[in-house]
Amino acid sequence: MAKDPVCGMDVEEKTSSLQAEYKGRKYYFCSPGCKNSFEHDPEQYLSKSAARSMDPESKSDSQSQSSSLNKINIGITGMTCTSCARTITKSLSAVPGVTRANVNFANEKALVEYDPTQTDKEILYRAIEDSGYGAVKEEQITDIEEIYFRQARIRLAIAWGFTIPVMLLMAVEMVMKVKAPDFNWWYLALSFTPVFIAGWRTHRGAYNSVKFLNLGMDSLISMGTLVSYGTGLAHLVFPQMHSYAPVAAMIMSFHLVGKYLETLTKGKASQAIKKLLKLEAKTARLLVNGQEQEVPLSAVKIGDIMLVKPGEKIPTDGEVISGISSVDESMATGESMPVTCQAGDKVIGATLNQNGVLQVKATKIGQDTFLSQVIKLVEECQGSKIPIQELADKITGYFVPAIFGIALLTFIIWLVIANVSVAVYSTVAVLVIACPCALGLATPTALMMASGLGAQHAILIRNGEAIQTLGKIQTIVFDKTGTITKGRPEVTDIFTVTGILPNFMLGIAASVENNSEHPLGLAIVTKSQEININLLAVDKFSAVIGKGVKGEIEGKKVFVGSQIFLQENNFNNAAWQGDINRLQQASRTIVLVAFADKVLGGFGISDPLKENSVGSIKQLRSWGIKTVMLTGDNKQTAQSIAKQVGVDEVVAEVFPEQKVQKIRELQEENKLVAMVGDGINDAPALKQANVGIALGTGTDIAISASDVTLVKGDLQSVIGAITLSRETFKKIKQNLFWAFFYNVLCIPLAMMGKLHPVMAEIAMFASSLFVVGNSLRLKKIKI
């Protein structure tokens, strides 16, 4: 197994067709992009690879460590409160080989990281089932929600079908003052179904929580309803004791209403995943021996040629081999303007082909596609925990046992100062009004909304901790090329000797550079294409790494490259020094052209700023965030760019390991630091930063190298990510405040006998609904 020298990913030597030789050594690559980057400047990338390997905390190292671990999302049925999630987490964590387990009550899923050499999926499923809950396999996970809704509706109908008659009987007894000795029998008979049949899941959850010593809300509701129903049985023996059997039915029915509404609102919070899943094409039209053949998407293989007609979705990630069309990529980049795609261009699966017929070769399928990676990323974020949630979970763990203690104390006090009936009344109110679920839902529902909203705006967040930290960032460090600038050099200036037409020199240079893959050469070729210059045949082409290219046109030698390159080939550049100095001061890169033993002139090539770089950095500075630009470019160019965009500090001529050192220095000043880069070349710095942000476009994003990936690839998305972080954390704090405030206010009232048990139950589920509803308000923020 070899390692890609650019990104550090493992590559199988025997099967890899992406190879290159340099200084007598063969290198293997994980993708064409990495291979091209290497070929442009081998020395530069090998030095970055070496720096990465020296950094013990680099991304490539962490990738190597985690490459042997598997991750799986498991759907879970039967959870009724956050204590269920804690019970399952403990059970999964106890399985040998499990390195991390997090059960999210809000989306009813478990995210498990495990060593496949020590355990497997079936053992994980069994661990969940042994805890008293159901496990749903990964491929069936999208069906969970509908199953939950259907089951909740049935339980609700059964409960209220018997509770309404109970309430009518109570109305007859209380309003009309009708007294009948057999009313209690009716109460017991009618209440049995809501309490023990419709409420069976609640009692089962209570049993599991006692069994695993992890008391939760089910324990409180179960105890409250059983005690209430028990007073009805006691009334048969001791007629002087008041019967609260009808209250048991009402408590359970209102509890089920709350759980149903909670399921509905949680479903709204998880809409992002469902929307992403709906984007995927269901079928593909393949070209097989010149014939069209429609097949399910799952039947598409790498290398298959897909025919995509106007108005159809591109089935999977691929490369256009024929045709030209406008493609709506808004699902990936958030950009409303379609992009023109033609032969050689990469396209993303699930994007919409608008007006032309394309033939596309499939390059990624299944779980490797861009859309699948986005869905996986969103699910991982929703399944993660943030530091503030750890505190809430600890409090919840002590909360329910404390409530049982308070309830016992309440019963004893009222038994002493009043009677059994009043004691039971107040105790049941204490049991059912306490709401650990509001605490448990405060953070995960907000995270679900934030990660989904981010995905809709092309902001992909890997974990919840990044959401919490990003809003507190004090310094943001930017790479220059491809981050602040477009990363696509453009010809901005052309200068020629007297008597030589600019288009003639451009045609000569573009003809030679057309054989090169260097970005500067591509800029020259692109310029020639813009003005429709016909390229000439080139013989004896060769590239001199880091200097330029040469060849022959009609038997005459051509040299295109740097000043040093032409000087080494005996050309005198003195006549051009004035133009060269002027353009360099304007942050241009100089490329000279010599033909037939004569220097014709040259080009000034620049990497323009992205349209919103200046505005975005201005916005960050207005928030009091310090901005720093790190770059490997020369100081003159770096200072020029820094002055244009207005960053606070610039550090030029740095290598990757020096970027890491700069970030460490900033962190040592007690500052939280974010690093914004391309996610591959800046891997060590992205890892070192408190939050690593990778800019990218479409399938080229470096998801594995960052905490946050911005698909649009512009700095305005950095503003959006910080805004999302701040608004999300604001909602989390509001949710936690309300959950604590509600319990602190209501529990004393229940102890004093000021709350009817049924009203207490209504208040309890209302508090959970408030928390979920408050999280849903995140949809209204503008990113």
Side-chain angles (χ1 to χ4, degrees):
M1 189 75 73
K3 282 196 180 296
D4 188 313
V6 179
C7 67
M9 296 294 287
D10 289 332
V11 183
E12 180 59 59
E13 295 179 17
K14 294 179 181 177
T15 59
S16 177
S17 59
L18 298 169
Q19 307 172 12
E21 282 194 23
Y22 180 64
K23 293 186 176 179
R25 182 177 173 185
K26 186 176 286 186
Y27 294 92
Y28 298 84
F29 304 87
C30 67
S31 69
C34 281
K35 181 185 176 185
N36 290 340
S37 298
F38 176 82
E39 289 180 333
H40 287 157
D41 196 336
E43 291 292 344
Q44 180 186 11
Y45 278 99
L46 287 175
S47 67
K48 291 182 178 180
S49 175
R52 187 159 49 246
S53 66
M54 287 188 292
D55 182 3
E57 295 183 351
S58 71
K59 280 289 181 190
S60 59
D61 290 340
S62 64
Q63 286 170 345
S64 300
Q65 277 186 332
S66 62
S67 62
S68 60
L69 298 176
N70 287 356
K71 283 184 182 178
I72 183 175
N73 259 302
I74 305 173
I76 299 174
T77 59
M79 287 197 298
T80 54
C81 69
T82 50
S83 71
C84 301
R86 291 198 303 274
T87 297
I88 300 167
T89 300
K90 288 181 180 178
S91 183
L92 286 169
S93 299
V95 175
V98 171
T99 58
R100 182 167 65 100
N102 183 33
V103 179
N104 190 325
F105 170 61
N107 65 3
E108 279 113 8
K109 292 177 186 176
L111 178 64
V112 186
E113 190 174 74
Y114 65 96
D115 184 345
T117 63
Q118 297 185 51
T119 189
D120 58 31
K121 294 179 183 179
E122 295 303 322
I123 294 175
L124 299 177
Y125 297 148
R126 206 156 50 242
I128 294 170
E129 290 162 359
D130 290 345
S131 303
Y133 303 90
V136 181
K137 295 183 178 180
E138 199 168 19
E139 58 271 19
Q140 302 168 331
I141 210 164
T142 53
D143 302 326
I144 293 178
E145 216 163 78
E146 186 51 44
I147 294 170
Y148 261 60
F149 288 152
R150 187 168 61 249
Q151 291 176 347
R153 282 194 294 266
I154 293 171
R155 286 193 297 272
L156 205 55
I158 292 172
W160 281 101
F162 287 86
T163 300
I164 289 173
V166 168
M167 295 171 71
L168 291 174
L169 278 177
M170 289 181 69
V172 169
E173 183 180 13
M174 296 170 66
V175 178
M176 301 178 68
K177 307 299 182 182
V178 175
K179 296 288 183 182
D182 57 350
F183 263 29
N184 190 54
W185 284 103
W186 281 106
Y187 287 148
L188 287 170
L190 290 170
S191 298
F192 182 86
T193 299
V195 173
F196 294 101
I197 297 177
W200 170 246
R201 279 184 71 212
T202 301
H203 299 304
R204 186 187 64 185
Y207 170 76
N208 286 332
S209 67
V210 172
K211 179 181 175 182
F212 291 95
L213 300 177
N214 192 19
L215 301 178
M217 191 186 71
D218 283 345
S219 311
L220 299 172
I221 299 299
S222 179
M223 181 64 77
T225 54
L226 291 176
V227 169
S228 299
Y229 193 84
T231 60
L233 296 173
H235 179 76
L236 299 176
V237 181
F238 306 104
Q240 71 275 16
M241 185 174 182
H242 187 76
S243 172
Y244 290 107
V247 172
M250 292 165 65
I251 288 173
M252 186 60 76
S253 294
F254 277 113
H255 173 66
L256 294 175
V257 168
K259 300 309 291 182
Y260 179 68
L261 293 175
E262 189 180 285
T263 303
L264 283 177
T265 49
K266 284 193 298 182
K268 290 180 181 178
S270 63
Q271 285 292 322
I273 291 288
K274 287 185 279 187
K275 286 180 180 177
L276 289 170
L277 288 169
K278 287 178 182 177
L279 291 173
E280 192 173 55
K282 302 295 182 267
T283 61
R285 187 180 287 105
L286 302 184
L287 284 178
V288 182
N289 297 324
Q291 300 294 316
E292 294 182 23
Q293 181 179 338
E294 191 165 340
V295 300
L297 183 62
S298 58
V300 176
K301 300 181 184 66
I302 292 177
D304 282 349
I305 306 301
M306 304 174 291
L307 186 68
V308 189
K309 296 182 178 180
E312 294 180 347
K313 289 181 179 179
I314 296 171
T316 191
D317 296 2
E319 180 179 342
V320 178
I321 60 171
S322 175
I324 183 169
S325 180
S326 295
V327 177
D328 179 0
E329 293 187 342
S330 57
M331 58 76 62
T333 64
E335 294 290 347
S336 57
M337 290 296 291
V339 297
T340 301
C341 292
Q342 54 192 330
D345 289 338
K346 304 282 195 240
V347 289
I348 303 171
T351 54
L352 186 65
N353 180 30
Q354 291 193 329
N355 51 25
V357 178
L358 295 175
Q359 288 185 22
V360 179
K361 181 171 72 174
T363 57
K364 291 184 180 179
I365 58 173
Q367 297 302 308
D368 295 327
T369 64
F370 172 74
L371 181 60
S372 294
Q373 291 297 311
V374 171
I375 292 171
K376 181 181 177 183
L377 205 62
V378 173
E379 286 181 333
E380 284 186 11
C381 181
Q382 292 181 351
S384 65
K385 285 189 178 183
I386 63 176
I388 197 171
Q389 187 181 348
E390 301 284 353
L391 174 62
D393 286 349
K394 283 182 180 179
I395 293 172
T396 305
Y398 293 110
F399 181 83
V400 176
I403 292 300
F404 274 114
I406 292 170
L408 179 61
L409 180 64
T410 302
F411 181 80
I412 293 170
I413 291 172
W414 281 109
L415 190 61
V416 172
I417 65 176
N419 54 55
V420 174
S421 293
V422 176
V424 169
Y425 177 94
S426 299
T427 301
V428 170
V430 170
L431 289 171
V432 300
I433 201 167
C435 189
C437 271
L439 284 170
L441 289 167
T443 299
T445 52
L447 276 184
M448 286 171 65
M449 283 301 303
S451 58
L453 188 64
Q456 291 171 21
H457 289 81
I459 300 170
L460 307 180
I461 303 166
R462 177 172 291 280
N463 56 65
E465 188 173 355
I467 292 181
Q468 180 171 339
T469 307
L470 190 55
K472 302 175 183 177
I473 287 297
Q474 299 156 293
T475 301
I476 299 185
V477 178
F478 297 95
D479 179 42
K480 181 182 76 68
T481 305
T483 302
I484 291 176
T485 65
K486 291 182 177 179
R488 296 190 300 270
E490 298 175 1
V491 174
T492 54
D493 304 270
I494 301 177
F495 53 93
T496 62
V497 68
T498 304
I500 299 296
L501 295 174
N503 284 4
F504 173 76
M505 182 184 72
L506 180 59
I508 293 292
S511 297
V512 181
E513 289 286 12
N514 195 42
N515 296 279
S516 167
E517 294 181 345
H518 196 281
L520 296 180
L522 180 61
I524 294 171
V525 173
T526 301
K527 185 69 175 179
S528 72
Q529 291 171 342
E530 290 173 359
I531 52 181
N532 299 316
I533 292 178
N534 293 323
L535 302 185
L536 305 170
V538 176
D539 298 317
K540 299 181 181 179
F541 171 84
S542 65
V544 180
I545 295 173
K547 295 181 179 180
V549 294
K550 58 185 178 181
E552 290 187 5
I553 295 177
E554 298 176 354
K556 298 175 182 177
K557 291 183 178 180
V558 182
F559 297 86
V560 183
S562 66
Q563 298 179 71
I564 294 174
F565 182 52
L566 265 66
Q567 287 169 359
E568 289 176 348
N569 286 278
N570 301 315
F571 290 99
N572 188 350
N573 307 324
W576 308 105
Q577 205 56 51
D579 288 311
I580 291 170
N581 292 339
R582 174 179 57 82
L583 292 173
Q584 282 183 333
Q585 288 175 0
S587 68
R588 304 291 196 266
T589 298
I590 306 301
V591 175
L592 299 177
V593 182
F595 177 62
D597 300 323
K598 181 180 180 181
V599 177
L600 302 184
F603 304 98
I605 300 178
S606 73
D607 187 2
L609 296 177
K610 290 180 179 178
E611 288 77 5
N612 48 30
S613 291
V614 175
S616 299
I617 288 175
K618 183 179 180 181
Q619 177 68 63
L620 292 172
R621 294 182 69 191
S622 72
W623 285 345
I625 297 174
K626 181 181 179 180
T627 55
V628 179
M629 186 179 81
L630 299 183
T631 177
D633 279 354
N634 64 74
K635 290 182 180 180
Q636 194 174 35
T637 300
Q639 290 289 354
S640 175
I641 296 294
K643 187 176 180 180
Q644 291 177 59
V645 295
V647 295
D648 297 306
E649 182 180 347
V650 58
V651 183
E653 299 175 359
V654 293
F655 292 105
E657 65 271 24
Q658 293 171 312
K659 291 183 180 181
V660 171
Q661 183 57 39
K662 180 61 181 177
I663 289 173
R664 284 179 180 153
E665 289 173 7
L666 291 167
Q667 290 170 326
E668 286 168 3
E669 297 173 13
N670 297 317
K671 291 183 177 179
L672 290 174
V673 180
M675 170 70 191
V676 185
D678 65 9
I680 296 176
N681 302 337
D682 298 304
L686 287 167
K687 175 65 178 177
Q688 178 63 40
N690 298 96
V691 179
I693 303 174
L695 293 182
T697 53
T699 53
D700 293 327
I701 60 174
I703 290 177
S704 62
S706 61
D707 302 302
V708 180
T709 303
L710 309 177
V711 181
K712 285 184 185 179
D714 61 42
L715 297 193
Q716 188 59 39
S717 295
V718 176
I719 303 295
I722 293 174
T723 301
L724 179 62
S725 168
R726 291 179 172 181
E727 291 297 324
T728 301
F729 202 62
K730 187 188 298 182
K731 284 286 177 282
I732 288 172
K733 288 192 287 187
Q734 289 171 356
N735 289 346
L736 289 172
F737 171 80
W738 166 254
F740 281 113
F741 173 77
Y742 160 83
N743 283 291
V744 168
L745 176 68
C746 293
I747 291 172
L749 291 175
M751 290 179 69
M752 292 186 290
K754 301 296 184 182
L755 280 176
H756 191 283
V758 173
M759 295 306 297
E761 173 59 27
I762 293 172
M764 187 276 291
F765 79 70
S767 69
S768 290
L769 292 181
F770 174 87
V771 165
V772 178
N774 192 44
S775 296
L776 289 174
R777 291 174 61 199
L778 278 170
K779 288 194 293 187
K780 296 181 180 180
I781 69 170
K782 293 182 179 180
I783 299 179

